[in-house]
């Protein structure tokens, strides 16, 4: 009973989220200062990477990706042959969803003698992101979670279970991560709460917003700067007709630079009949997405596709981006998204090819069998709905 009440609390016994963000920004600036003084010193670049990764993930600062790319370019000029440089390059490339490039860097790191535990951990992340060797990945994830009990290992296991369509198991794993967490940083707690929200609001076959909304609220309560959590919570509220509250939730995220914030605001303004203001917001979203896609197309192809399939009102651009994402990481979800974009773009032949490729690659798996693609495959694609 005590455990249940712990998870039911609005927030957890962690450092105030606004103070944590200030501390993170200070640590990030100090890390960069040390890097400029001595970039090759052990642990310096790794500190920059950790701080910038948190800044991108939680504060929605998309420029963090550009800063990390410049850091790896500097390391490559200064110490190209080092396995440490190769490992950092692999980590940044993976963050940018450049998984093929990440694999090349990782192989260099392995050959150069980088710590095997670091190489194997990143290889597992890449395999999971691309839907490769998932049965083997599940065994390794379970073993690591049972061996260490660390939140990071449990979250990775939960994410993989969700990818495999084992949603209740994923829910249990995420909850276990929260129950076992003993630190005071709000970042991991907000991360797990967001994962639980996304699990029930985005990943399940039929979204269950009643289960998702409280977790998004907890994520925002623990970490008010959490842009993506605010976006998802605002989307649920707007979908339920609570436009005023949805806009209030979204407002603090407008300064982040994340184009999805302007996208969702534009949708809300449209609902209110404020079409001129909505057009401005959606144009800002379009401009923001195109700027990101120009610099980091693989990292934002999936989000860009969703925008253009909806309020961006460009079905062909949506299909183009969905196919880029599918080629980069051919997961069941990527196949399903690309099929949906092809149908919406009235590209029936392309849709049929995508469905056939999905069945060939994933047809033997439980994740595919429970997907909408499997239902379409079984029924035939004639008259398939425009999702």
């Amino acid at each position: 009973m005590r455990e249940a009440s712990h998870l039911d609390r609005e927030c957890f016994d962690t450092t105030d989220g606004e103070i944590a963000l200030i501390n993170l920004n200070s640590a990030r600036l100090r890390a960069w200062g040390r890097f400029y003084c001595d970039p090759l010193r052990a642990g310096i670049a790794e500190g920059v990477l950790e701080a910038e990764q948190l800044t991108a993930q939680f504060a929605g600062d998309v420029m963090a990706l550009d800063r990390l790319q410049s850091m790896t370019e500097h390391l490559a000029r200064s110490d190209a042959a080092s396995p440490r440089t190769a490992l950092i390059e692999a980590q940044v490339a993976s963050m940018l969803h450049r998984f093929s490039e990440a694999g090349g860097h990782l192989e260099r790191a392995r050959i150069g003698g980088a710590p095997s535990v670091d190489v194997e951990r990143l290889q597992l992340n890449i395999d999971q992101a691309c839907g490769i060797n998932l049965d083997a990945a599940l065994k390794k994830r379970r073993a690591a979670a049972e061996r260490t009990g660390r939140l990071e290992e449990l979250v990775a296991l939960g994410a993989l279970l969700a990818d495999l369509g084992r949603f209740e198991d994923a829910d249990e794993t995420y909850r276990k991560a929260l129950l076992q967490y003993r630190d005071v940083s709000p970042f991991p707690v907000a991360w797990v709460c967001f994962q639980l929200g996304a699990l029930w609001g985005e990943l399940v076959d039929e979204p269950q917003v009643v289960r998702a909304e409280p977790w998004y609220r907890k994520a925002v309560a623990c970490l008010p700067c959490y842009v993506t959590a605010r976006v998802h919570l605002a989307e649920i509220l707007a979908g339920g007709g609570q436009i005023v509250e949805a806009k209030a939730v979204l407002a603090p995220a407008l300064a982040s630079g994340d184009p999805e914030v302007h996208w969702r605001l534009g949708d809300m303004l449209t609902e209110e009949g404020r079409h001129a203001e909505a057009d401005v917001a959606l144009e800002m979203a379009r401009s923001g997405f195109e700027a990101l896609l120009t610099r980091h197309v693989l990292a934002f192809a999936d989000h860009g596709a969703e925008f253009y399939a909806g309020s961006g009102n460009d079905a062909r651009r949506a299909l183009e981006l969905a196919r880029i994402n599918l080629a980069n990481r051919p997961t069941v979800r990527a196949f399903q998204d690309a099929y949906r974009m092809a149908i919406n773009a009235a590209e029936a032949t392309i849709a049929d090819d995508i469905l056939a490729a999905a069945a060939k690659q994933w047809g033997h798996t439980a994740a595919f069998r429970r997907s909408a693609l499997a239902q379409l495959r079984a029924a035939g694609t004639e008259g398939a709905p425009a999702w």
Side-chain angles (χ1 to χ4, degrees):
M1 183 65 68
R2 185 173 61 191
E3 290 184 344
S5 65
H6 169 62
L7 293 185
D8 287 340
R9 288 205 300 270
E10 182 66 19
C11 197
F12 297 81
D13 297 327
T14 57
T15 300
D16 177 83
E18 293 181 354
I19 293 174
L21 179 62
I22 293 170
N23 293 342
L24 171 61
N25 193 49
S26 297
R28 183 179 65 82
L29 294 175
R30 288 196 303 271
W32 274 111
R34 289 192 290 269
F35 179 79
Y36 288 131
C37 290
D38 191 0
L40 303 186
R41 183 179 174 185
I44 298 298
E46 291 83 353
V48 172
L49 175 56
E50 181 181 5
E52 291 290 10
Q53 188 170 16
L54 289 172
T55 301
Q57 180 179 355
F58 294 106
D61 183 354
V62 294
M63 296 303 294
L65 302 180
D66 299 272
R67 293 193 293 268
L68 283 174
Q69 187 165 285
S70 71
M71 182 189 75
T72 59
E73 290 168 355
H74 184 86
L75 284 175
R77 289 192 298 270
S78 304
D79 195 20
S82 166
R84 171 177 172 259
T85 294
L87 188 62
I88 292 171
E89 287 178 309
Q91 290 174 285
V92 173
S94 181
M95 274 186 66
L96 294 169
H97 291 191
R98 298 176 181 172
F99 298 116
S100 178
E101 178 184 326
H105 291 311
L106 200 57
E107 183 61 20
R108 284 176 39 234
R110 180 185 289 111
I111 292 172
S116 60
V117 65
D118 294 335
V119 172
E120 290 169 6
R121 183 183 297 114
L122 185 53
Q123 185 65 64
L124 191 55
N125 291 344
I126 294 170
D127 287 350
Q128 185 170 332
C130 296
I132 299 170
N133 302 322
L134 293 187
D135 289 338
L138 182 58
K139 292 179 182 178
K140 292 178 182 178
R141 290 295 191 202
R142 280 197 189 284
E146 290 171 2
R147 183 176 65 254
T148 69
R150 294 174 62 239
L151 180 141
E152 293 82 357
E153 301 291 0
L154 286 163
V155 172
L157 173 58
L160 180 51
L161 290 166
D163 288 343
L164 294 170
R166 297 171 59 173
F167 302 119
E168 292 291 349
D169 289 343
D171 181 274
E172 181 181 349
T173 303
Y174 288 140
R175 288 170 177 268
K176 183 177 180 181
L178 287 175
L179 289 168
Q180 294 185 182
Y181 186 65
R182 295 292 181 268
D183 207 336
V184 297
S185 171
F187 295 106
V189 172
W191 180 33
V192 182
C193 290
F194 176 82
Q195 292 291 96
L196 280 158
L199 176 70
W200 296 113
E202 302 285 331
L203 300 181
V204 293
D205 305 323
E206 295 184 11
Q208 301 177 32
V209 296
V210 173
R211 296 183 73 171
E213 181 182 338
W215 289 113
Y216 287 138
R217 287 190 182 276
K218 286 181 173 66
V220 172
C222 285
L223 200 63
C225 70
Y226 202 164
V227 170
T228 308
R230 285 187 174 275
V231 167
H232 284 250
L233 176 57
E235 191 177 359
I236 286 177
L237 293 170
Q242 299 169 264
I243 301 295
V244 173
E245 185 181 358
K247 288 169 63 180
V249 166
L250 205 57
L254 284 170
S256 69
D258 186 332
E260 191 164 356
V261 180
H262 294 285
W263 168 17
R264 301 306 177 187
L265 177 61
D267 288 348
M268 294 173 203
L269 292 167
T270 299
E271 284 292 316
E272 293 180 319
R274 298 163 62 178
H275 298 292
E277 294 171 77
D279 288 345
V280 171
L282 292 174
E283 184 54 39
M284 290 181 70
R286 182 179 290 103
S287 175
F289 274 119
E290 286 302 327
L292 290 175
L293 290 165
T294 297
R295 304 197 307 275
H296 309 297
V297 64
L298 296 181
F300 294 97
D302 53 348
H303 291 280
E306 289 292 342
F307 169 71
Y308 283 111
S311 306
N313 196 29
D314 189 339
R316 293 198 173 279
R317 179 64 167 149
L319 176 58
E320 174 190 9
L321 292 170
R323 294 180 78 181
I324 289 171
N325 182 60
L326 176 60
N328 185 48
R329 48 184 309 186
T331 63
V332 171
R333 185 179 180 87
F335 272 110
Q336 190 159 293
D337 288 345
Y339 179 87
R340 172 166 53 90
M341 306 297 176
I343 291 295
N344 290 347
E347 293 286 358
T349 301
I350 293 175
D352 288 346
D353 291 344
I354 290 170
L355 183 57
K360 181 177 180 181
Q361 181 164 338
W362 289 101
H364 64 287
T365 67
F368 180 83
R369 288 193 294 272
R370 67 180 299 160
S371 71
L373 292 176
Q375 298 170 28
L376 288 164
R377 184 75 172 170
T381 59
E382 270 188 54
W387 291 356

Coordinates of all heavy atoms in Angstrom, one line a residue, residues 133-161:
N133 N 17.9 -7.8 -33.9 CA 18.2 -8.8 -32.8 C 17.5 -8.5 -31.5 O 18.1 -8.5 -30.4 CB 19.8 -8.8 -32.6 CG 20.6 -9.0 -33.8 OD1 20.2 -9.8 -34.6 ND2 21.7 -8.3 -33.9
L134 N 16.2 -8.3 -31.6 CA 15.5 -7.9 -30.4 C 15.3 -9.0 -29.4 O 15.3 -8.7 -28.2 CB 14.1 -7.4 -30.8 CG 14.1 -6.0 -31.6 CD1 12.7 -5.5 -31.8 CD2 14.9 -5.0 -30.9
D135 N 15.3 -10.2 -29.8 CA 15.2 -11.3 -28.9 C 16.5 -11.4 -28.0 O 16.4 -11.6 -26.8 CB 15.0 -12.7 -29.6 CG 13.6 -12.8 -30.2 OD1 12.7 -12.1 -29.7 OD2 13.4 -13.6 -31.1
A136 N 17.6 -11.3 -28.7 CA 18.9 -11.2 -27.9 C 19.0 -10.0 -27.1 O 19.4 -10.1 -25.9 CB 20.1 -11.3 -28.9
A137 N 18.5 -8.9 -27.6 CA 18.5 -7.6 -26.8 C 17.6 -7.8 -25.6 O 18.0 -7.3 -24.5 CB 18.0 -6.5 -27.7
L138 N 16.5 -8.5 -25.7 CA 15.6 -8.6 -24.5 C 16.3 -9.4 -23.4 O 16.2 -9.1 -22.2 CB 14.3 -9.3 -24.9 CG 13.3 -9.5 -23.8 CD1 12.9 -8.2 -23.2 CD2 12.1 -10.2 -24.4
K139 N 17.0 -10.5 -23.8 CA 17.7 -11.3 -22.8 C 18.8 -10.4 -22.1 O 19.0 -10.5 -20.9 CB 18.4 -12.5 -23.5 CG 17.4 -13.5 -24.0 CD 18.1 -14.7 -24.7 CE 17.1 -15.7 -25.2 NZ 17.8 -16.8 -25.9
K140 N 19.5 -9.6 -22.9 CA 20.6 -8.8 -22.3 C 20.0 -7.7 -21.4 O 20.5 -7.4 -20.3 CB 21.4 -8.2 -23.4 CG 22.3 -9.2 -24.2 CD 23.0 -8.5 -25.3 CE 23.8 -9.5 -26.1 NZ 24.6 -8.9 -27.2
R141 N 18.9 -7.1 -21.9 CA 18.2 -6.1 -21.0 C 17.7 -6.6 -19.7 O 17.9 -6.0 -18.7 CB 17.1 -5.5 -21.8 CG 17.4 -4.6 -23.0 CD 18.2 -3.4 -22.6 NE 18.3 -2.4 -23.7 CZ 19.2 -1.5 -23.8 NH1 20.1 -1.4 -22.8 NH2 19.3 -0.6 -24.8
R142 N 17.1 -7.8 -19.8 CA 16.6 -8.4 -18.5 C 17.8 -8.7 -17.6 O 17.7 -8.5 -16.4 CB 15.9 -9.7 -18.9 CG 14.5 -9.6 -19.4 CD 13.7 -10.9 -19.3 NE 12.5 -10.8 -19.9 CZ 11.4 -10.2 -19.4 NH1 11.5 -9.6 -18.2 NH2 10.2 -10.2 -20.0
A143 N 18.8 -9.3 -18.1 CA 20.0 -9.7 -17.3 C 20.6 -8.4 -16.6 O 20.9 -8.4 -15.4 CB 21.0 -10.4 -18.1
A144 N 20.7 -7.3 -17.4 CA 21.3 -6.1 -16.8 C 20.4 -5.5 -15.8 O 20.9 -5.0 -14.7 CB 21.5 -5.1 -18.0
A145 N 19.1 -5.5 -16.0 CA 18.1 -5.0 -15.1 C 18.1 -5.8 -13.8 O 18.1 -5.2 -12.7 CB 16.7 -4.9 -15.7
E146 N 18.2 -7.1 -13.9 CA 18.2 -7.9 -12.7 C 19.5 -7.8 -12.0 O 19.5 -7.9 -10.7 CB 17.9 -9.4 -13.1 CG 16.5 -9.6 -13.6 CD 16.3 -11.0 -14.2 OE1 17.3 -11.8 -14.2 OE2 15.2 -11.3 -14.7
R147 N 20.6 -7.7 -12.7 CA 21.9 -7.6 -12.1 C 22.1 -6.3 -11.3 O 22.6 -6.3 -10.2 CB 23.0 -7.8 -13.1 CG 24.4 -7.8 -12.5 CD 25.4 -8.1 -13.6 NE 25.5 -7.0 -14.6 CZ 25.0 -7.0 -15.8 NH1 24.4 -8.1 -16.3 NH2 25.2 -6.0 -16.7
T148 N 21.7 -5.2 -11.9 CA 22.0 -3.9 -11.3 C 20.8 -3.2 -10.6 O 21.0 -2.5 -9.6 CB 22.5 -2.9 -12.4 OG1 21.4 -2.6 -13.3 CG2 23.6 -3.5 -13.2
G149 N 19.6 -3.5 -11.1 CA 18.4 -2.8 -10.6 C 18.5 -1.3 -10.8 O 17.6 -0.5 -10.2
R150 N 19.4 -0.8 -11.6 CA 19.5 0.6 -11.9 C 18.3 1.1 -12.7 O 17.8 0.4 -13.6 CB 20.8 1.0 -12.6 CG 22.0 0.7 -11.7 CD 23.3 0.9 -12.5 NE 23.5 2.2 -12.9 CZ 23.6 2.6 -14.2 NH1 23.6 1.7 -15.2 NH2 23.8 3.8 -14.5
L151 N 17.9 2.4 -12.5 CA 16.8 3.0 -13.2 C 17.1 2.9 -14.7 O 16.1 2.6 -15.5 CB 16.6 4.4 -12.7 CG 15.4 5.1 -13.4 CD1 14.6 6.0 -12.4 CD2 16.0 6.1 -14.5
E152 N 18.3 3.3 -15.1 CA 18.6 3.3 -16.6 C 18.4 2.0 -17.2 O 17.8 1.9 -18.3 CB 20.0 3.8 -16.8 CG 20.3 5.2 -16.4 CD 20.5 5.4 -14.9 OE1 20.4 4.4 -14.1 OE2 20.8 6.5 -14.5
E153 N 18.8 0.9 -16.5 CA 18.6 -0.4 -17.1 C 17.1 -0.8 -17.2 O 16.7 -1.5 -18.1 CB 19.4 -1.4 -16.3 CG 20.9 -1.2 -16.2 CD 21.6 -1.3 -17.6 OE1 21.0 -1.7 -18.6 OE2 22.9 -1.1 -17.6
L154 N 16.4 -0.5 -16.1 CA 15.0 -0.8 -16.1 C 14.2 0.0 -17.2 O 13.3 -0.6 -17.8 CB 14.4 -0.5 -14.7 CG 14.8 -1.5 -13.6 CD1 14.5 -1.0 -12.2 CD2 14.1 -2.9 -13.8
V155 N 14.5 1.2 -17.4 CA 13.8 2.0 -18.4 C 14.1 1.4 -19.8 O 13.2 1.3 -20.6 CB 14.2 3.5 -18.3 CG1 13.7 4.3 -19.5 CG2 13.7 4.1 -17.0
A156 N 15.4 1.1 -20.0 CA 15.7 0.5 -21.3 C 15.0 -0.8 -21.5 O 14.5 -1.1 -22.6 CB 17.2 0.2 -21.4
L157 N 14.8 -1.6 -20.5 CA 14.1 -2.8 -20.6 C 12.6 -2.5 -20.9 O 12.0 -3.2 -21.7 CB 14.2 -3.7 -19.3 CG 13.3 -4.9 -19.2 CD1 13.6 -5.9 -20.4 CD2 13.5 -5.6 -17.8
G158 N 12.0 -1.6 -20.1 CA 10.6 -1.2 -20.3 C 10.4 -0.7 -21.8 O 9.4 -1.0 -22.4
A159 N 11.3 0.1 -22.3 CA 11.2 0.6 -23.7 C 11.2 -0.5 -24.7 O 10.4 -0.5 -25.6 CB 12.3 1.6 -24.0
L160 N 12.0 -1.5 -24.5 CA 12.1 -2.7 -25.4 C 10.8 -3.5 -25.3 O 10.3 -3.9 -26.3 CB 13.3 -3.5 -25.1 CG 13.5 -4.7 -25.9 CD1 13.4 -4.4 -27.4 CD2 14.8 -5.4 -25.6
L161 N 10.3 -3.7 -24.1 CA 9.1 -4.4 -23.9 C 7.9 -3.7 -24.6 O 7.1 -4.3 -25.3 CB 8.7 -4.6 -22.4 CG 9.6 -5.6 -21.7 CD1 9.4 -5.4 -20.2 CD2 9.3 -7.0 -22.1

